[in-house]
Amino acid sequence: MNHLYLKIRNITKETAEAITVEFENPDNEPISYQAGQFLTLIVNIKGESVRRAYSLCTSPLIHQHPAVTIKRIKGGLVSNYLNDTLKVGDTVEVLPPMGVFTTEFSENNRRHLVLFGGGSGITPLMSLLLTTLQSEPKSMVSLIYANRDADSIIFKKKIEDLQIQFKDRFNLVQIWEKTPLFWSKGHKGLLNTKMIRKILDSLPKSTAEATEYFMCGPNPMMEVIQKAFIELKLPLDKLRKESFGISPEEAATKKASILEESQKNNVPTEGYEVTVRYDGEEHKFMVPPDKSILQTALALDIDLPYSCQSGMCTACMGKCVAGKVKLDEEDALTPKELDQGYVLTCVGHPMSEGVVIVID
Ligand SMILES: Cc1cc2nc3c(=O)[nH]c(=O)nc-3n(C[C@H](O)[C@H](O)[C@H](O)COP(=O)(O)OP(=O)(O)OC[C@H]3O[C@@H](n4cnc5c(N)ncnc54)[C@H](O)[C@@H]3O)c2cc1C
Ligand code: FES
């Protein structure tokens, strides 16, 4: 995969915890991407090369220069490093834009996009929102945006400006955990089924031929939305999800369950040999039960594609053409991809002998 070396053109402080970093290609080649995709930033911290995914918050149809917004995570290695050290003029190594949290845009579309965003989850939604308003004159967008309080809202002013510019086609519903006294701009507290029902009922009735839902935010918020969709009998297949990561507790639960699964499948302590075909080469290596296929490959200096390393982004996707692989996170793949045998090497564990994975 060709790595890009992009120059930082501008940095904007969005909130006390988040910056937006705008890039340009020093070669003057345009950086082509689709709304909703992400960049993988590769940085060297204390001699170690680390990668993290950051969604593009810009629209390819509007902005000449792509940008990502990076919010600090408490104790987080890369988000804090980037917030603390990036400067205009720096060059950053990135992987080309990737991701499937996007949609086909057409000026003939007549649809209602309902976007559920929480905190920094607004970034890919902002890209989808801007692109829809710009390119689909007959479509409408509703943004249901949950934040801790007024000061933590990323893109507050930009969103307020869009409300004025597109008042007939853009509708904002705010949810704040902490509100000032006599606040009447939206809903107070955390999103729950009752609130979701109320919000969806209150959205302007559109003449849309179809309603499509996108969500990106903290995992507990997205679980509430998914459950509400089931309870309210809303079409789950129309609800698209982008997850940014998992908490240490969720990671520990997943690890425990994969070890249990390995025991159930009588996986030997030394694990199974896996064959990975990628970039014209074939690699064979043993994967022990407590390591993923990607983790093992990287430890052996085998160059495989990846970004998030937590089953969220699909950068490491390959097709399992023989043997059995268990994923400890499969949300990023569609049911069709799972049926076709696609796996994510970063969260994939061999459960049988003879596993062969082909990565395009
Ligand atoms: C497709 C994709 C797009 C993303 N887009 C953005 C974006 O636009 N803006 C942005 O700020 N971030 C985004 N992220 C998250 C980002 O890639 C990093 O995971 C995040 O910045 C934390 O990295 P870190 O090195 O600071 O934390 P780490 O050092 O990796 O983690 C520190 C601790 O925080 C926990 N943790 C990490 N991420 C989360 C999380 N999301 N929720 C709860 N706990 C967590 C970890 O389990 C760990 O214990 C995206 C992730 C993916 C997969
Ligand atoms: S590297 Fe992101 S899903 Fe595997």
Side-chain angles (χ1 to χ4, degrees):
M1 190 179 295
N2 283 339
H3 292 207
L4 306 169
Y5 293 86
L6 303 182
K7 201 167 144 193
I8 299 182
R9 206 174 169 271
N10 196 21
I11 298 181
T12 313
K13 200 158 174 61
E14 299 288 350
T15 67
E17 294 168 328
I19 52 168
T20 293
V21 181
E22 191 182 308
F23 292 108
E24 65 188 328
N25 197 341
D27 304 336
N28 278 334
E29 287 276 317
I31 304 156
S32 93
Y33 65 96
Q34 293 168 51
Q37 286 194 309
F38 62 88
L39 290 179
T40 304
L41 274 58
I42 306 177
V43 283
N44 193 296
I45 304 179
K46 294 187 186 148
E48 206 192 322
S49 172
V50 279
R51 299 179 181 199
R52 295 289 184 273
Y54 292 100
S55 300
L56 290 147
C57 55
T58 40
S59 165
L61 302 182
I62 302 171
H63 302 100
Q64 195 189 345
H65 302 287
V68 297
T69 301
I70 304 159
K71 184 177 172 190
R72 290 179 190 272
I73 288 252
K74 204 165 167 216
L77 178 67
V78 178
S79 59
N80 288 294
Y81 174 85
L82 295 172
N83 268 273
D84 290 336
T85 62
L86 289 185
K87 298 184 307 300
V88 171
D90 284 353
T91 297
V92 184
E93 185 179 358
V94 306
L95 296 182
M98 294 180 227
V100 292
F101 190 64
T102 187
T103 173
E104 294 224 345
F105 297 93
S106 155
E107 64 174 342
N108 298 322
N109 281 350
R110 182 191 288 274
R111 56 183 173 165
H112 186 182
L113 255 60
V114 178
L115 313 176
F116 292 95
S120 58
I122 187 66
T123 49
L125 299 177
M126 191 65 182
S127 180
L128 294 169
L129 161 65
L130 289 166
T131 309
T132 311
L133 292 175
Q134 173 74 15
S135 64
E136 298 192 359
K138 292 177 236 158
S139 292
M140 201 173 109
V141 186
S142 293
L143 172 64
I144 299 157
Y145 190 14
N147 280 290
R148 199 174 52 230
D149 53 30
D151 293 339
S152 62
I153 303 177
I154 298 175
F155 309 136
K156 187 166 183 284
K157 172 81 173 68
K158 282 191 193 117
I159 290 171
E160 282 167 3
D161 289 349
L162 288 173
Q163 273 188 292
I164 298 168
Q165 192 186 346
F166 295 97
K167 60 178 184 308
D168 299 330
R169 295 198 292 123
F170 173 49
N171 172 45
L172 172 69
V173 180
Q174 303 214 58
I175 304 146
W176 292 5
E177 261 178 81
K178 290 188 208 151
T179 60
L181 221 55
F182 308 117
W183 184 72
S184 61
K185 279 189 179 172
H187 299 258
K188 188 177 169 179
L190 292 172
L191 207 59
N192 57 48
T193 302
K194 203 170 144 198
M195 203 190 280
I196 293 173
R197 182 202 291 268
K198 210 166 157 186
I199 291 171
L200 293 180
D201 282 348
S202 74
L203 296 182
K205 297 290 164 254
S206 72
T207 53
E209 283 157 7
T211 303
E212 292 169 39
Y213 304 87
F214 290 79
M215 64 174 171
C216 184
N219 289 334
M221 179 190 112
M222 296 202 285
E223 277 162 27
V224 166
I225 297 169
Q226 255 164 326
K227 279 192 191 139
F229 262 61
I230 295 168
E231 270 178 51
L232 302 174
K233 299 195 169 45
L234 290 165
L236 258 185
D237 60 328
K238 295 268 185 296
L239 176 64
R240 308 274 305 277
K241 171 181 173 185
E242 183 81 313
S243 180
F244 278 3
I246 54 172
S247 65
E249 297 76 29
E250 287 169 296
T253 313
K254 287 194 165 147
K255 188 161 186 174
S257 92
I258 208 79
L259 286 175
E260 206 179 294
E261 185 75 20
S262 300
Q263 274 175 355
K264 251 198 261 162
N265 283 274
N266 297 319
V267 176
T269 43
E270 68 278 18
Y272 285 123
E273 188 183 70
V274 170
T275 304
V276 179
R277 292 189 195 130
Y278 171 59
D279 215 9
E281 290 187 42
E282 183 170 277
H283 308 277
K284 283 181 189 286
F285 48 93
M286 293 297 290
V287 179
D290 62 337
K291 294 275 182 298
S292 74
I293 296 166
L294 180 73
Q295 263 177 326
T296 316
L298 294 180
L300 295 168
D301 268 341
I302 298 170
D303 186 20
L304 297 185
Y306 71 95
S307 170
C308 74
Q309 289 177 268
S310 51
M312 306 288 150
C313 74
T314 71
C316 65
M317 183 164 128
K319 192 169 185 176
C320 179
V321 293
K324 192 174 151 201
V325 170
K326 171 84 186 158
L327 302 181
D328 45 21
E329 173 62 64
E330 51 186 39
D331 271 10
L333 296 175
T334 62
K336 192 170 167 205
E337 286 164 342
L338 289 167
D339 277 355
Q340 289 171 337
Y342 284 98
V343 294
L344 302 170
T345 62
C346 71
V347 288
H349 305 263
M351 289 292 150
S352 73
E353 279 178 12
V355 166
V356 180
I357 296 171
V358 179
I359 300 177
D360 287 334

PDB file of all heavy atoms in Angstrom, residues 13-41:
ATOM      1  N   LYS A  13      -8.340  24.680  16.873  1.00  0.00           N
ATOM      2  CA  LYS A  13      -8.748  24.113  18.160  1.00  0.00           C
ATOM      3  C   LYS A  13     -10.277  24.126  18.190  1.00  0.00           C
ATOM      4  O   LYS A  13     -10.896  25.192  18.144  1.00  0.00           O
ATOM      5  CB  LYS A  13      -8.169  24.963  19.295  1.00  0.00           C
ATOM      6  CG  LYS A  13      -8.133  24.219  20.588  1.00  0.00           C
ATOM      7  CD  LYS A  13      -7.122  24.811  21.559  1.00  0.00           C
ATOM      8  CE  LYS A  13      -7.195  24.143  22.910  1.00  0.00           C
ATOM      9  NZ  LYS A  13      -6.914  22.735  22.909  1.00  0.00           N
ATOM     10  N   GLU A  14     -10.884  22.965  18.209  1.00  0.00           N
ATOM     11  CA  GLU A  14     -12.353  22.892  18.161  1.00  0.00           C
ATOM     12  C   GLU A  14     -12.950  23.057  19.557  1.00  0.00           C
ATOM     13  O   GLU A  14     -13.936  23.750  19.739  1.00  0.00           O
ATOM     14  CB  GLU A  14     -12.815  21.548  17.587  1.00  0.00           C
ATOM     15  CG  GLU A  14     -12.364  21.267  16.164  1.00  0.00           C
ATOM     16  CD  GLU A  14     -13.087  22.111  15.135  1.00  0.00           C
ATOM     17  OE1 GLU A  14     -14.072  22.785  15.486  1.00  0.00           O
ATOM     18  OE2 GLU A  14     -12.646  22.114  13.973  1.00  0.00           O
ATOM     19  N   THR A  15     -12.361  22.328  20.516  1.00  0.00           N
ATOM     20  CA  THR A  15     -12.787  22.397  21.925  1.00  0.00           C
ATOM     21  C   THR A  15     -11.501  22.262  22.747  1.00  0.00           C
ATOM     22  O   THR A  15     -10.414  22.110  22.181  1.00  0.00           O
ATOM     23  CB  THR A  15     -13.720  21.219  22.301  1.00  0.00           C
ATOM     24  OG1 THR A  15     -12.944  20.013  22.242  1.00  0.00           O
ATOM     25  CG2 THR A  15     -14.927  21.092  21.402  1.00  0.00           C
ATOM     26  N   ALA A  16     -11.649  22.236  24.069  1.00  0.00           N
ATOM     27  CA  ALA A  16     -10.450  22.090  24.916  1.00  0.00           C
ATOM     28  C   ALA A  16      -9.763  20.753  24.636  1.00  0.00           C
ATOM     29  O   ALA A  16      -8.574  20.598  24.893  1.00  0.00           O
ATOM     30  CB  ALA A  16     -10.856  22.181  26.383  1.00  0.00           C
ATOM     31  N   GLU A  17     -10.518  19.783  24.090  1.00  0.00           N
ATOM     32  CA  GLU A  17      -9.960  18.430  23.937  1.00  0.00           C
ATOM     33  C   GLU A  17      -9.749  17.991  22.494  1.00  0.00           C
ATOM     34  O   GLU A  17      -9.313  16.868  22.257  1.00  0.00           O
ATOM     35  CB  GLU A  17     -10.925  17.417  24.586  1.00  0.00           C
ATOM     36  CG  GLU A  17     -11.048  17.572  26.073  1.00  0.00           C
ATOM     37  CD  GLU A  17     -12.208  16.756  26.605  1.00  0.00           C
ATOM     38  OE1 GLU A  17     -13.216  16.587  25.890  1.00  0.00           O
ATOM     39  OE2 GLU A  17     -12.088  16.290  27.732  1.00  0.00           O
ATOM     40  N   ALA A  18     -10.109  18.834  21.534  1.00  0.00           N
ATOM     41  CA  ALA A  18     -10.058  18.359  20.137  1.00  0.00           C
ATOM     42  C   ALA A  18      -9.490  19.401  19.180  1.00  0.00           C
ATOM     43  O   ALA A  18      -9.781  20.591  19.302  1.00  0.00           O
ATOM     44  CB  ALA A  18     -11.459  17.955  19.678  1.00  0.00           C
ATOM     45  N   ILE A  19      -8.693  18.903  18.233  1.00  0.00           N
ATOM     46  CA  ILE A  19      -8.172  19.782  17.170  1.00  0.00           C
ATOM     47  C   ILE A  19      -8.567  19.223  15.805  1.00  0.00           C
ATOM     48  O   ILE A  19      -8.711  18.008  15.643  1.00  0.00           O
ATOM     49  CB  ILE A  19      -6.627  19.905  17.214  1.00  0.00           C
ATOM     50  CG1 ILE A  19      -5.949  18.505  17.243  1.00  0.00           C
ATOM     51  CG2 ILE A  19      -6.157  20.760  18.385  1.00  0.00           C
ATOM     52  CD1 ILE A  19      -4.447  18.525  17.011  1.00  0.00           C
ATOM     53  N   THR A  20      -8.719  20.145  14.861  1.00  0.00           N
ATOM     54  CA  THR A  20      -8.908  19.721  13.472  1.00  0.00           C
ATOM     55  C   THR A  20      -7.616  20.015  12.721  1.00  0.00           C
ATOM     56  O   THR A  20      -7.083  21.119  12.804  1.00  0.00           O
ATOM     57  CB  THR A  20     -10.099  20.454  12.831  1.00  0.00           C
ATOM     58  OG1 THR A  20     -11.290  20.003  13.486  1.00  0.00           O
ATOM     59  CG2 THR A  20     -10.222  20.148  11.347  1.00  0.00           C
ATOM     60  N   VAL A  21      -7.131  19.000  12.007  1.00  0.00           N
ATOM     61  CA  VAL A  21      -5.859  19.120  11.303  1.00  0.00           C
ATOM     62  C   VAL A  21      -6.134  19.031   9.808  1.00  0.00           C
ATOM     63  O   VAL A  21      -6.678  18.035   9.328  1.00  0.00           O
ATOM     64  CB  VAL A  21      -4.915  17.963  11.729  1.00  0.00           C
ATOM     65  CG1 VAL A  21      -3.572  18.083  11.031  1.00  0.00           C
ATOM     66  CG2 VAL A  21      -4.746  17.937  13.242  1.00  0.00           C
ATOM     67  N   GLU A  22      -5.766  20.102   9.114  1.00  0.00           N
ATOM     68  CA  GLU A  22      -6.014  20.147   7.669  1.00  0.00           C
ATOM     69  C   GLU A  22      -4.715  19.819   6.922  1.00  0.00           C
ATOM     70  O   GLU A  22      -3.662  20.359   7.248  1.00  0.00           O
ATOM     71  CB  GLU A  22      -6.472  21.567   7.325  1.00  0.00           C
ATOM     72  CG  GLU A  22      -7.009  21.728   5.942  1.00  0.00           C
ATOM     73  CD  GLU A  22      -7.383  23.190   5.692  1.00  0.00           C
ATOM     74  OE1 GLU A  22      -8.122  23.789   6.486  1.00  0.00           O
ATOM     75  OE2 GLU A  22      -6.899  23.717   4.685  1.00  0.00           O
ATOM     76  N   PHE A  23      -4.836  18.945   5.940  1.00  0.00           N
ATOM     77  CA  PHE A  23      -3.639  18.469   5.225  1.00  0.00           C
ATOM     78  C   PHE A  23      -3.590  18.982   3.793  1.00  0.00           C
ATOM     79  O   PHE A  23      -4.628  19.253   3.184  1.00  0.00           O
ATOM     80  CB  PHE A  23      -3.660  16.936   5.130  1.00  0.00           C
ATOM     81  CG  PHE A  23      -3.497  16.248   6.447  1.00  0.00           C
ATOM     82  CD1 PHE A  23      -4.575  15.595   7.035  1.00  0.00           C
ATOM     83  CD2 PHE A  23      -2.275  16.227   7.097  1.00  0.00           C
ATOM     84  CE1 PHE A  23      -4.428  14.938   8.253  1.00  0.00           C
ATOM     85  CE2 PHE A  23      -2.120  15.572   8.312  1.00  0.00           C
ATOM     86  CZ  PHE A  23      -3.196  14.928   8.891  1.00  0.00           C
ATOM     87  N   GLU A  24      -2.368  19.044   3.276  1.00  0.00           N
ATOM     88  CA  GLU A  24      -2.218  19.222   1.820  1.00  0.00           C
ATOM     89  C   GLU A  24      -1.155  18.260   1.334  1.00  0.00           C
ATOM     90  O   GLU A  24      -0.289  17.838   2.108  1.00  0.00           O
ATOM     91  CB  GLU A  24      -1.861  20.660   1.454  1.00  0.00           C
ATOM     92  CG  GLU A  24      -0.528  21.134   1.938  1.00  0.00           C
ATOM     93  CD  GLU A  24      -0.344  22.627   1.689  1.00  0.00           C
ATOM     94  OE1 GLU A  24      -0.891  23.137   0.698  1.00  0.00           O
ATOM     95  OE2 GLU A  24       0.349  23.276   2.481  1.00  0.00           O
ATOM     96  N   ASN A  25      -1.276  17.908   0.062  1.00  0.00           N
ATOM     97  CA  ASN A  25      -0.305  16.993  -0.520  1.00  0.00           C
ATOM     98  C   ASN A  25       0.832  17.819  -1.108  1.00  0.00           C
ATOM     99  O   ASN A  25       0.594  18.613  -2.019  1.00  0.00           O
ATOM    100  CB  ASN A  25      -1.002  16.165  -1.611  1.00  0.00           C
ATOM    101  CG  ASN A  25      -0.210  14.943  -1.956  1.00  0.00           C
ATOM    102  OD1 ASN A  25       0.978  14.887  -1.655  1.00  0.00           O
ATOM    103  ND2 ASN A  25      -0.852  13.976  -2.579  1.00  0.00           N
ATOM    104  N   PRO A  26       2.054  17.693  -0.584  1.00  0.00           N
ATOM    105  CA  PRO A  26       3.145  18.524  -1.109  1.00  0.00           C
ATOM    106  C   PRO A  26       3.362  18.318  -2.607  1.00  0.00           C
ATOM    107  O   PRO A  26       3.884  19.192  -3.285  1.00  0.00           O
ATOM    108  CB  PRO A  26       4.373  18.075  -0.318  1.00  0.00           C
ATOM    109  CG  PRO A  26       3.876  17.230   0.773  1.00  0.00           C
ATOM    110  CD  PRO A  26       2.509  16.758   0.438  1.00  0.00           C
ATOM    111  N   ASP A  27       2.952  17.161  -3.140  1.00  0.00           N
ATOM    112  CA  ASP A  27       3.104  16.913  -4.588  1.00  0.00           C
ATOM    113  C   ASP A  27       2.020  17.611  -5.410  1.00  0.00           C
ATOM    114  O   ASP A  27       1.953  17.424  -6.625  1.00  0.00           O
ATOM    115  CB  ASP A  27       2.979  15.409  -4.902  1.00  0.00           C
ATOM    116  CG  ASP A  27       3.970  14.594  -4.122  1.00  0.00           C
ATOM    117  OD1 ASP A  27       4.989  15.168  -3.724  1.00  0.00           O
ATOM    118  OD2 ASP A  27       3.703  13.394  -3.896  1.00  0.00           O
ATOM    119  N   ASN A  28       1.142  18.335  -4.715  1.00  0.00           N
ATOM    120  CA  ASN A  28       0.009  19.004  -5.371  1.00  0.00           C
ATOM    121  C   ASN A  28      -0.992  18.059  -5.998  1.00  0.00           C
ATOM    122  O   ASN A  28      -1.891  18.469  -6.710  1.00  0.00           O
ATOM    123  CB  ASN A  28       0.480  20.009  -6.435  1.00  0.00           C
ATOM    124  CG  ASN A  28       0.853  21.312  -5.784  1.00  0.00           C
ATOM    125  OD1 ASN A  28       0.336  21.635  -4.704  1.00  0.00           O
ATOM    126  ND2 ASN A  28       1.766  22.034  -6.391  1.00  0.00           N
ATOM    127  N   GLU A  29      -0.833  16.764  -5.763  1.00  0.00           N
ATOM    128  CA  GLU A  29      -1.816  15.775  -6.247  1.00  0.00           C
ATOM    129  C   GLU A  29      -3.028  15.862  -5.332  1.00  0.00           C
ATOM    130  O   GLU A  29      -2.864  15.853  -4.109  1.00  0.00           O
ATOM    131  CB  GLU A  29      -1.237  14.367  -6.084  1.00  0.00           C
ATOM    132  CG  GLU A  29      -0.153  14.004  -7.050  1.00  0.00           C
ATOM    133  CD  GLU A  29      -0.732  13.520  -8.354  1.00  0.00           C
ATOM    134  OE1 GLU A  29      -1.698  12.741  -8.316  1.00  0.00           O
ATOM    135  OE2 GLU A  29      -0.223  13.950  -9.404  1.00  0.00           O
ATOM    136  N   PRO A  30      -4.243  15.935  -5.884  1.00  0.00           N
ATOM    137  CA  PRO A  30      -5.400  15.952  -4.990  1.00  0.00           C
ATOM    138  C   PRO A  30      -5.517  14.629  -4.211  1.00  0.00           C
ATOM    139  O   PRO A  30      -5.091  13.578  -4.711  1.00  0.00           O
ATOM    140  CB  PRO A  30      -6.593  16.148  -5.918  1.00  0.00           C
ATOM    141  CG  PRO A  30      -6.093  15.899  -7.288  1.00  0.00           C
ATOM    142  CD  PRO A  30      -4.591  15.977  -7.282  1.00  0.00           C
ATOM    143  N   ILE A  31      -6.023  14.689  -2.990  1.00  0.00           N
ATOM    144  CA  ILE A  31      -6.184  13.473  -2.192  1.00  0.00           C
ATOM    145  C   ILE A  31      -7.640  13.048  -2.354  1.00  0.00           C
ATOM    146  O   ILE A  31      -8.537  13.731  -1.873  1.00  0.00           O
ATOM    147  CB  ILE A  31      -5.870  13.758  -0.702  1.00  0.00           C
ATOM    148  CG1 ILE A  31      -4.467  14.343  -0.582  1.00  0.00           C
ATOM    149  CG2 ILE A  31      -6.038  12.512   0.154  1.00  0.00           C
ATOM    150  CD1 ILE A  31      -4.244  15.175   0.649  1.00  0.00           C
ATOM    151  N   SER A  32      -7.860  11.961  -3.092  1.00  0.00           N
ATOM    152  CA  SER A  32      -9.261  11.638  -3.360  1.00  0.00           C
ATOM    153  C   SER A  32      -9.807  10.680  -2.303  1.00  0.00           C
ATOM    154  O   SER A  32      -9.119   9.752  -1.870  1.00  0.00           O
ATOM    155  CB  SER A  32      -9.427  11.130  -4.783  1.00  0.00           C
ATOM    156  OG  SER A  32      -9.343   9.763  -4.805  1.00  0.00           O
ATOM    157  N   TYR A  33     -11.016  10.972  -1.866  1.00  0.00           N
ATOM    158  CA  TYR A  33     -11.648  10.160  -0.817  1.00  0.00           C
ATOM    159  C   TYR A  33     -13.158  10.282  -0.940  1.00  0.00           C
ATOM    160  O   TYR A  33     -13.665  11.137  -1.678  1.00  0.00           O
ATOM    161  CB  TYR A  33     -11.173  10.614   0.572  1.00  0.00           C
ATOM    162  CG  TYR A  33     -11.584  12.021   0.968  1.00  0.00           C
ATOM    163  CD1 TYR A  33     -12.712  12.254   1.747  1.00  0.00           C
ATOM    164  CD2 TYR A  33     -10.840  13.136   0.556  1.00  0.00           C
ATOM    165  CE1 TYR A  33     -13.083  13.547   2.108  1.00  0.00           C
ATOM    166  CE2 TYR A  33     -11.202  14.417   0.923  1.00  0.00           C
ATOM    167  CZ  TYR A  33     -12.320  14.620   1.699  1.00  0.00           C
ATOM    168  OH  TYR A  33     -12.686  15.898   2.056  1.00  0.00           O
ATOM    169  N   GLN A  34     -13.849   9.424  -0.213  1.00  0.00           N
ATOM    170  CA  GLN A  34     -15.315   9.500  -0.182  1.00  0.00           C
ATOM    171  C   GLN A  34     -15.755  10.011   1.173  1.00  0.00           C
ATOM    172  O   GLN A  34     -15.116   9.699   2.195  1.00  0.00           O
ATOM    173  CB  GLN A  34     -15.910   8.123  -0.399  1.00  0.00           C
ATOM    174  CG  GLN A  34     -15.666   7.573  -1.798  1.00  0.00           C
ATOM    175  CD  GLN A  34     -16.008   6.104  -1.853  1.00  0.00           C
ATOM    176  OE1 GLN A  34     -17.077   5.702  -1.439  1.00  0.00           O
ATOM    177  NE2 GLN A  34     -15.087   5.305  -2.338  1.00  0.00           N
ATOM    178  N   ALA A  35     -16.872  10.739   1.174  1.00  0.00           N
ATOM    179  CA  ALA A  35     -17.396  11.260   2.444  1.00  0.00           C
ATOM    180  C   ALA A  35     -17.566  10.108   3.421  1.00  0.00           C
ATOM    181  O   ALA A  35     -18.074   9.050   3.049  1.00  0.00           O
ATOM    182  CB  ALA A  35     -18.739  11.932   2.192  1.00  0.00           C
ATOM    183  N   GLY A  36     -17.145  10.284   4.665  1.00  0.00           N
ATOM    184  CA  GLY A  36     -17.322   9.250   5.684  1.00  0.00           C
ATOM    185  C   GLY A  36     -16.100   8.352   5.853  1.00  0.00           C
ATOM    186  O   GLY A  36     -16.053   7.553   6.790  1.00  0.00           O
ATOM    187  N   GLN A  37     -15.108   8.470   4.955  1.00  0.00           N
ATOM    188  CA  GLN A  37     -13.914   7.606   5.083  1.00  0.00           C
ATOM    189  C   GLN A  37     -12.932   8.169   6.118  1.00  0.00           C
ATOM    190  O   GLN A  37     -13.143   9.261   6.652  1.00  0.00           O
ATOM    191  CB  GLN A  37     -13.224   7.492   3.726  1.00  0.00           C
ATOM    192  CG  GLN A  37     -13.981   6.588   2.769  1.00  0.00           C
ATOM    193  CD  GLN A  37     -13.136   6.213   1.565  1.00  0.00           C
ATOM    194  OE1 GLN A  37     -12.572   7.077   0.912  1.00  0.00           O
ATOM    195  NE2 GLN A  37     -13.060   4.930   1.270  1.00  0.00           N
ATOM    196  N   PHE A  38     -11.877   7.434   6.370  1.00  0.00           N
ATOM    197  CA  PHE A  38     -10.903   7.883   7.371  1.00  0.00           C
ATOM    198  C   PHE A  38      -9.475   7.784   6.831  1.00  0.00           C
ATOM    199  O   PHE A  38      -9.206   7.073   5.853  1.00  0.00           O
ATOM    200  CB  PHE A  38     -11.027   7.047   8.660  1.00  0.00           C
ATOM    201  CG  PHE A  38     -10.739   5.589   8.468  1.00  0.00           C
ATOM    202  CD1 PHE A  38      -9.452   5.096   8.572  1.00  0.00           C
ATOM    203  CD2 PHE A  38     -11.756   4.691   8.161  1.00  0.00           C
ATOM    204  CE1 PHE A  38      -9.176   3.741   8.382  1.00  0.00           C
ATOM    205  CE2 PHE A  38     -11.494   3.334   7.964  1.00  0.00           C
ATOM    206  CZ  PHE A  38     -10.191   2.863   8.065  1.00  0.00           C
ATOM    207  N   LEU A  39      -8.580   8.510   7.501  1.00  0.00           N
ATOM    208  CA  LEU A  39      -7.139   8.397   7.212  1.00  0.00           C
ATOM    209  C   LEU A  39      -6.506   7.639   8.371  1.00  0.00           C
ATOM    210  O   LEU A  39      -6.973   7.742   9.506  1.00  0.00           O
ATOM    211  CB  LEU A  39      -6.493   9.780   7.160  1.00  0.00           C
ATOM    212  CG  LEU A  39      -6.844  10.702   5.996  1.00  0.00           C
ATOM    213  CD1 LEU A  39      -6.111  12.038   6.153  1.00  0.00           C
ATOM    214  CD2 LEU A  39      -6.486  10.065   4.656  1.00  0.00           C
ATOM    215  N   THR A  40      -5.435   6.907   8.089  1.00  0.00           N
ATOM    216  CA  THR A  40      -4.669   6.271   9.159  1.00  0.00           C
ATOM    217  C   THR A  40      -3.389   7.060   9.340  1.00  0.00           C
ATOM    218  O   THR A  40      -2.597   7.168   8.395  1.00  0.00           O
ATOM    219  CB  THR A  40      -4.335   4.823   8.778  1.00  0.00           C
ATOM    220  OG1 THR A  40      -5.564   4.155   8.479  1.00  0.00           O
ATOM    221  CG2 THR A  40      -3.610   4.103   9.898  1.00  0.00           C
ATOM    222  N   LEU A  41      -3.202   7.640  10.504  1.00  0.00           N
ATOM    223  CA  LEU A  41      -1.979   8.399  10.769  1.00  0.00           C
ATOM    224  C   LEU A  41      -0.944   7.459  11.379  1.00  0.00           C
ATOM    225  O   LEU A  41      -1.287   6.658  12.267  1.00  0.00           O
ATOM    226  CB  LEU A  41      -2.264   9.559  11.737  1.00  0.00           C
ATOM    227  CG  LEU A  41      -2.764  10.863  11.079  1.00  0.00           C
ATOM    228  CD1 LEU A  41      -4.034  10.643  10.297  1.00  0.00           C
ATOM    229  CD2 LEU A  41      -2.955  11.959  12.113  1.00  0.00           C
TER     230      LEU A  41
END
